[in-house]
């Protein structure tokens, strides 16, 4: 089942944060951000760290989709 992180990118825009700001705040690697940029799966631990850093729920940063991203 494909995943989309479009909600995360919108949240970052709304909070006026850059991806590098998120990396530092959540303690995740550039590799995790790169995978998310390609809508690839990342660990639950990484998703949890992002949710804590942004003070949001997982539904506010990602969703499963019914179609493949090219």
């Amino acid at each position: 089942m494909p995943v989309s992180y479009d909600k995360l990118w919108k949240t970052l825009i709304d909070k006026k944060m850059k991806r590098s700001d998120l990396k530092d705040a959540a303690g995740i690697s550039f590799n995790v951000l790169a995978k998310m940029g390609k809508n690839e799966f990342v660990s639950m631990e990484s998703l949890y760290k992002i949710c804590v850093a942004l003070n949001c729920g997982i539904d506010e940063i990602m969703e499963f989709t019914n179609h493949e991203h090219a």
Side-chain angles (χ1 to χ4, degrees), residues 48-59:
Y48 173 77
K49 288 178 179 182
I50 292 168
C51 288
V52 169
L54 296 177
N55 191 28
C56 67
I58 196 165
D59 62 322

Side-chain angles (χ1 to χ4, degrees), residues 17-64:
M17 289 179 73
K18 297 178 182 175
R19 292 182 186 202
S20 58
D21 297 332
L22 176 63
K23 176 193 146 320
D24 295 337
I28 57 174
S29 69
F30 278 121
N31 185 46
V32 170
L33 284 175
K35 289 177 84 170
M36 294 176 88
K38 298 176 191 172
N39 287 321
E40 295 178 1
F41 290 105
V42 298
S43 72
M44 285 297 298
E45 180 180 7
S46 296
L47 294 173
Y48 173 77
K49 288 178 179 182
I50 292 168
C51 288
V52 169
L54 296 177
N55 191 28
C56 67
I58 196 165
D59 62 322
E60 296 176 68
I61 64 168
M62 57 98 43
E63 65 184 342
F64 293 109

